[in-house]
Amino acid sequence: MSATLRRALLASPTPAAQAAEHELRERYDWTGLDEAELVVALGGDGFLLQVLHQLLERRSSIPVFGMNLGTVGFLMNEWHLGGLEERLARTKPFKVSPLEMIAETIDGEVRRLPAINEVSLLRETRQAAKVEVSVNDRVVMPELVCDGILAATPAGSTAYNLSANGPILPLGSGMLALTPISPFRPRRWRGAILPDRARIALRILESDKRPVSAVADQREVRDVARVEVEIDRMRDLTLLFDPEHALDDRITMEQFIA
């Protein structure tokens, strides 16, 4: 990655990120997002997702180099003030294809939202959700009784999906994780690993009595009746990583953490 590309600098509103932004602006040259060929993002994983969604809305495919000034920072590089141009010249790019969620509410409203990590369905009340699960127009589970269910990309498989006991998917695996959240029936079902060309449809049973919300990363649609999920191959994103902190290596090593 060339260090001569025009760069935009974006920072989360936390004190640590704001202080780092001030230091970087004094040391390096920056441009506005509209003119940028590369974005440097300061914050945590949540802020990086916000930046990536901002680029999706702009239909922009410029690469993003994140530096961790948040909590976990799984998708971020380490924060360093110096040597930025040399780091950018050595970065390793990774393509990330987002999911597209098409959610239809019980009132007939249709919402299309992208998701970089996962699409999750969650019950809205104390009653468990009942969901019919279809893959490629075939009903594979007539009734799943659960707190919810999620579909995760490899990049998102170490986030909510892992907390729900879903599998970790290496980048480039060409797979999606379909993971139940607190399944009650069938109690032994632990989810499925699907080809990333699969079309997933989730129909809410008894949606008036057992309301369910759908969340694409951080954006929620309440009272859904049906949700369709598949990879959006028209809107790839590019993340940049230091060679020693490449995302595929981090995902691999996550499987050995007790």
Side-chain angles (χ1 to χ4, degrees):
M1 179 65 62
S2 172
T4 62
L5 295 178
R6 296 190 301 273
R7 302 182 296 257
L9 180 62
L10 302 176
S12 77
T14 64
Q18 290 294 303
E21 179 188 19
H22 178 73
E23 292 180 296
L24 285 172
R25 289 198 182 278
E26 288 190 336
R27 181 171 292 202
Y28 303 100
D29 295 326
W30 304 96
T31 188
L33 187 57
D34 290 337
E35 295 80 31
E37 299 169 284
L38 183 150
V39 172
V40 174
L42 308 176
D45 288 335
F47 179 71
L48 182 65
L49 287 178
Q50 293 178 28
V51 171
L52 294 174
H53 277 283
Q54 187 176 354
L55 295 178
L56 286 174
E57 291 173 359
R58 289 169 168 259
R59 298 284 174 172
S60 174
S61 59
I62 62 176
V64 179
F65 181 79
M67 285 194 281
N68 185 30
L69 287 153
T71 304
V72 179
F74 190 84
L75 299 174
M76 313 293 279
N77 300 279
E78 290 184 4
W79 155 249
H80 294 297
L81 176 61
L84 179 62
E85 293 180 350
E86 293 79 6
R87 291 177 73 185
L88 292 176
R90 297 174 56 244
T91 54
K92 184 176 181 180
F94 283 93
K95 294 288 186 181
V96 177
S97 296
L99 297 167
E100 181 182 49
M101 177 183 82
I102 304 174
E104 181 180 354
T105 70
I106 58 177
D107 294 330
E109 179 187 4
V110 177
R111 297 278 304 278
R112 292 176 177 263
L113 295 172
I116 297 157
N117 273 359
E118 76 277 318
V119 169
S120 56
L121 273 63
L122 301 164
R123 63 184 175 96
E124 295 180 9
T125 69
R126 57 183 175 80
Q127 288 189 296
K130 290 186 176 182
V131 183
E132 176 193 82
V133 181
S134 297
V135 177
N136 297 332
D137 302 320
R138 176 185 177 185
V139 176
V140 294
M141 187 167 292
E143 184 180 272
L144 170 65
V145 182
C146 57
D147 280 355
I149 186 172
L150 63 86
T153 65
S157 66
T158 58
Y160 191 6
N161 173 71
L162 181 58
S163 297
N165 296 315
I168 295 175
L169 303 176
L171 283 184
S173 63
M175 297 293 177
L176 297 175
L178 185 63
T179 302
I181 302 169
S182 301
F184 177 72
R185 191 172 61 242
R187 192 180 299 272
R188 296 181 183 275
W189 189 60
R190 292 295 179 261
I193 298 176
L194 304 173
D196 66 2
R197 294 191 176 276
R199 302 185 312 278
I200 302 167
L202 305 167
R203 185 169 69 92
I204 311 307
L205 307 177
E206 302 178 24
S207 57
D208 54 341
K209 179 182 177 182
R210 302 170 183 268
V212 169
S213 65
V215 181
D217 285 343
Q218 301 158 338
R219 301 171 69 180
E220 182 183 33
V221 180
R222 295 185 67 82
D223 301 331
V224 295
R226 178 181 172 86
V227 173
E228 297 179 3
V229 181
E230 64 179 315
I231 289 285
D232 183 353
R233 301 186 184 280
M234 303 300 292
R235 297 199 284 179
D236 280 347
L237 296 162
T238 302
L239 298 177
L240 301 177
F241 291 93
D242 293 319
E244 62 271 21
H245 294 290
L247 183 59
D248 54 349
D249 294 333
R250 299 181 75 175
I251 289 176
T252 297
M253 294 309 299
E254 190 74 15
Q255 299 177 78
F256 298 96
I257 295 177

